[in-house]
């Protein structure tokens, strides 16, 4: 019976998983594998191609084929829009604008956004609630030179997050995750204790190379962000 | 002069960004746009196709074309391998195995991994250092029913993270990010203060539907995980 490429692929995969062919090591060349499996070169080639696509092996024209050292893994997540996040849990979403002030940008923000000293910015703080319980505190800065229309925008019903998504349809962004200890002011808004560890997502957004906004999204105690990959 | 599809595309994009055509709203149909721009239907169609690919508009055969409500954004990150993370910063990586114990799985772990009560597991705690400074505390549990060879493995030089990557080459995983307050024991290992807010990544990994491992990676104070999208 002819050996199918699938059988060869599965057997080669088994050897890699069983560590018979260790990570980083060379595996036999196609000619030797053809002899072992008593099949055509094209059949072995097809099996190898699929293992390469799975990320298990790395093929180099002259250097031969190796078992990948550390498999590359990537995870993808949908950048969260807080209203949709809350509604997806089946909860009622509620937005509150806590403060709003146009001012010259503080020095740390100028450095972060790479904008000139004292650039005009709009500073907003907001609370996003789920079923009446604090869910996220939003500390938002908007570069008014890039988006002068923000000065007139009404943020009392629609938060700056959604206003920006609607106003600046596509953008480059950088997102960071970290943790901070709640200060008394945050604790008051989120209904937790001062000192509690809170999960923070920071985002910096540009549109056509112009810095648009910087935001810190500080989540309720115990909040987790989960994704599969 | 004939109008190029690029000019039409750029003008339609400008109207969307300037909010002349608001999010969620219908835009004029192709026939009207042909009349406005005095061009062939194919030219308008090509412009619309590109805007749809950019995620700015949504085309429905019968319902017409709308400006996308909230543009979908996805971010992708390379799942971190702590040694590579540290070396990428130009720092010297150092691994220390702090404890190792085979035991029946505690109830919370059985629930988390969906394994039977008292399943045999291997519990390891490890410290990853960068240039001699604590960088990450690893709290690792391995399901010995799925990976009995872990019992014999030597984790004194190669940590369980890399051992697992080499032993179980590809897997399904779930990753979560959050924050916790350091307890005195963690504070001792990481050289921070009890109560400090620390960034935590949790990962649960399966191979061919069998739960393999659960790990909590607790990072030094101030640690941030950053990605662009």
């Amino acid at each position: 019976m002819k050996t199918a490429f699938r059988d060869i692929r599965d057997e080669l995969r088994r050897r890699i998983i069983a560590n018979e062919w260790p990570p980083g090591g060379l595996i036999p060349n196609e000619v030797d594998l053809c002899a072992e499996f008593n099949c055509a070169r094209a059949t072995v080639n097809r099996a190898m191609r699929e293992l390469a696509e799975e990320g298990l092996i790395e093929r180099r024209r002259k250097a031969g084929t190796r078992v990948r050292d550390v498999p590359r893994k990537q995870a993808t997540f949908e950048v969260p829009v807080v209203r949709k996040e809350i509604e997806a849990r089946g909860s009622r979403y509620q937005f509150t604008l806590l403060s709003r002030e146009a001012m010259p940008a503080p020095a740390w923000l100028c450095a972060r956004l790479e904008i000139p000293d004292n650039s005009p910015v709009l500073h907003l703080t907001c609370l996003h609630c789920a079923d009446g319980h604090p869910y996220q505190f939003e500390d938002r800065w908007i570069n008014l030179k890039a988006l002068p229309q923000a000065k007139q925008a009404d943020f009392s019903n629609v938060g700056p997050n959604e206003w920006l998504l609607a106003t600046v349809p596509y953008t480059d962004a950088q997102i960071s995750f970290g943790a901070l200890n709640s200060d008394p002011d945050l604790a008051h808004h989120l209904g937790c204790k001062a000192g509690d560890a809170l999960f923070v997502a920071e985002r910096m957004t540009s549109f056509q190379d112009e810095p648009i906004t910087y935001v810190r999204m500080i989540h309720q105690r115990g909040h987790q962000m989960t994704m599969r990959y």
Side-chain angles (χ1 to χ4, degrees), chain A:
Chain A
M1 208 185 81
K2 236 180 67 181
T3 311
F5 85 90
R6 279 188 198 81
D7 300 325
I8 299 176
R9 178 198 61 196
D10 291 350
E11 170 58 16
L12 302 186
R13 190 196 286 128
R14 190 196 62 74
R15 292 179 192 179
I16 293 169
I17 291 170
N19 237 359
E20 291 173 22
W21 289 345
L26 276 173
I27 72 172
N29 64 39
E30 288 189 11
V31 175
D32 292 343
L33 291 171
C34 292
E36 180 188 344
F37 291 105
N38 189 23
C39 68
R41 180 108 180 225
T43 311
V44 167
N45 191 280
R46 173 85 190 268
M48 303 272 264
R49 210 167 60 226
E50 294 216 348
L51 294 173
E53 278 164 14
E54 288 177 12
L56 281 183
I57 61 174
E58 203 167 10
R59 308 172 85 189
R60 296 253 175 94
R61 201 167 291 272
K62 293 216 170 135
T65 299
R66 288 180 186 277
V67 178
R68 276 194 88 103
D69 201 2
V70 172
R72 265 187 312 189
K73 287 272 180 189
Q74 289 207 322
T76 300
F77 64 96
E78 193 105 353
V79 174
V81 173
V82 61
R83 175 172 59 80
K84 303 211 160 185
E85 218 176 293
I86 288 171
E87 287 172 355
R89 293 169 180 231
S91 294
R92 184 172 44 83
Y93 171 69
Q94 198 191 344
F95 170 80
T96 311
L97 182 64
L98 300 173
S99 72
R100 172 192 186 126
E101 191 183 356
M103 58 166 87
W108 65 266
L109 184 64
C110 294
R112 187 81 59 124
L113 287 179
E114 299 177 11
I115 54 177
D117 285 357
N118 297 312
S119 297
V121 291
L122 185 64
H123 182 213
L124 305 158
T125 60
C126 322
L127 192 64
H128 302 270
C129 290
D131 290 333
H133 301 291
Y135 181 89
Q136 185 196 95
F137 179 87
E138 178 179 354
D139 186 10
R140 165 79 65 179
W141 302 81
I142 299 173
N143 178 8
L144 286 173
K145 189 168 157 283
L147 280 181
Q149 65 266 50
K151 214 165 172 175
Q152 273 74 50
D154 174 15
F155 294 115
S156 55
N157 291 307
V158 174
N161 184 1
E162 293 191 54
W163 181 85
L164 282 160
L165 284 168
T167 307
V168 191
Y170 57 117
T171 49
D172 299 311
Q174 181 185 302
I175 194 162
S176 302
F177 302 122
L180 59 70
N181 287 106
S182 179
D183 63 26
D185 191 46
L186 259 176
H188 166 73
H189 289 303
L190 287 173
C192 65
K193 289 201 297 289
D196 277 352
L198 305 177
F199 174 65
V200 187
E202 268 185 33
R203 196 160 57 203
M204 211 159 60
T205 310
S206 304
F207 177 62
Q208 293 172 344
D209 283 334
E210 188 157 36
I212 295 288
T213 185
Y214 168 76
V215 61
R216 289 205 309 167
M217 294 160 281
I218 303 161
H219 293 81
Q220 182 55 281
R221 196 169 185 271
H223 181 86
Q224 283 201 320
M225 180 178 166
T226 297
M227 63 211 78
R228 303 194 151 275
Y229 65 91

